[in-house]
């Protein structure tokens, strides 16, 4: 099977974290990332929420676990954190994303892992897109485990943000048009 066009770049990482104020203190106040938003476990359907930070115009460069008060964090050995840390590679478009999913499914030892839609189709992380799953992130993605157990995301269509941390309306209009809406 021929290889689809290669990933454009390594674009973001998902990392272990702590309480929201700890994440902001480190990633924004110490490292200088821009805090975008945070969602709780009620949105993520995980035992933790996620806070998003960016270093450029895209929605996020880092996604960091946010643990609710009273819940164990990574320091207390919570095994569920193994499902979140990941690296994410951007591909050019939806067609390329689907081609990569098909190519990876053909390799022994590669396993699709949630989140994804029924049948393993890429999920749309969005509270506003008609196909969105309600989670922020504003991209179309699928996740897999490589033969070594590393969690990897391939994605396209991540939101471009305004200086006020809003989704750029022109980008959003163009995305919806590309997706047939």
């Amino acid at each position: 099977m021929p290889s689809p066009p290669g990933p454009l770049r390594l674009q973001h990482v998902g990392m272990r974290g702590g309480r929201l104020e700890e994440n902001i203190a480190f990633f924004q106040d110490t490292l200088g990332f821009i805090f975008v938003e945070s969602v709780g476990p009620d949105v993520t359907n995980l035992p933790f929420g996620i806070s998003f930070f960016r270093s450029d115009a895209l929605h996020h460069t880092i996604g960091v676990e946010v643990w609710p008060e009273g819940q164990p964090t990574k320091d207390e050995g919570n095994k569920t954190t193994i499902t979140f840390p990941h690296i994410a590679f951007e591909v050019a478009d939806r067609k390329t994303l689907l081609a990569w999913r098909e190519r990876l499914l053909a390799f022994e030892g590669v396993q699709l892992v949630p989140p994804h839609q029924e049948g393993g189709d890429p999920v749309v992380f969005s509270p506003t897109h008609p196909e969105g799953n309600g989670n922020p992130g504003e991209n179309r993605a699928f996740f897999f485990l490589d033969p070594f157990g590393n969690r990897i995301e391939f994605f396209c269509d991540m939101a471009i943000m305004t200086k006020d941390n809003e989704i750029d309306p022109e980008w959003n209009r163009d995305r919806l048009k590309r997706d047939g809406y």
Side-chain angles (χ1 to χ4, degrees), residues 53-90:
F53 298 86
R54 64 187 179 96
S55 61
D56 58 21
L58 296 181
H59 182 274
H60 61 279
T61 309
I62 303 173
V64 185
E65 295 174 353
V66 178
W67 289 90
E69 289 299 323
Q71 293 291 319
T73 67
K74 84 264 181 229
D75 295 329
E76 293 148 345
N78 190 316
K79 301 284 189 244
T80 60
T81 60
I82 200 79
T83 65
F84 184 68
H86 69 279
I87 59 172
F89 293 97
E90 182 178 13

Side-chain angles (χ1 to χ4, degrees), residues 35-148:
F35 175 70
V36 177
E37 65 183 316
S38 187
V39 295
D42 56 319
V43 173
T44 64
N45 294 315
L46 297 167
F48 52 85
I50 302 172
S51 54
F52 294 97
F53 298 86
R54 64 187 179 96
S55 61
D56 58 21
L58 296 181
H59 182 274
H60 61 279
T61 309
I62 303 173
V64 185
E65 295 174 353
V66 178
W67 289 90
E69 289 299 323
Q71 293 291 319
T73 67
K74 84 264 181 229
D75 295 329
E76 293 148 345
N78 190 316
K79 301 284 189 244
T80 60
T81 60
I82 200 79
T83 65
F84 184 68
H86 69 279
I87 59 172
F89 293 97
E90 182 178 13
V91 298
D93 53 33
R94 187 177 185 175
K95 180 180 175 184
T96 305
L97 184 68
L98 293 172
W100 270 107
R101 186 195 61 178
E102 293 309 308
R103 178 175 171 79
L104 290 166
L105 285 173
F107 279 84
E108 188 174 330
V110 172
Q111 171 189 355
L112 285 183
V113 293
H116 50 70
Q117 294 181 24
E118 190 173 323
D121 285 339
V123 66
V124 178
F125 292 106
S126 176
T128 60
H129 190 285
E131 299 171 35
N133 69 354
N135 284 307
E138 296 302 331
N139 61 4
R140 184 178 301 272
F142 71 89
F143 293 78
F144 62 97
L145 297 179
D146 69 14
F148 315 104

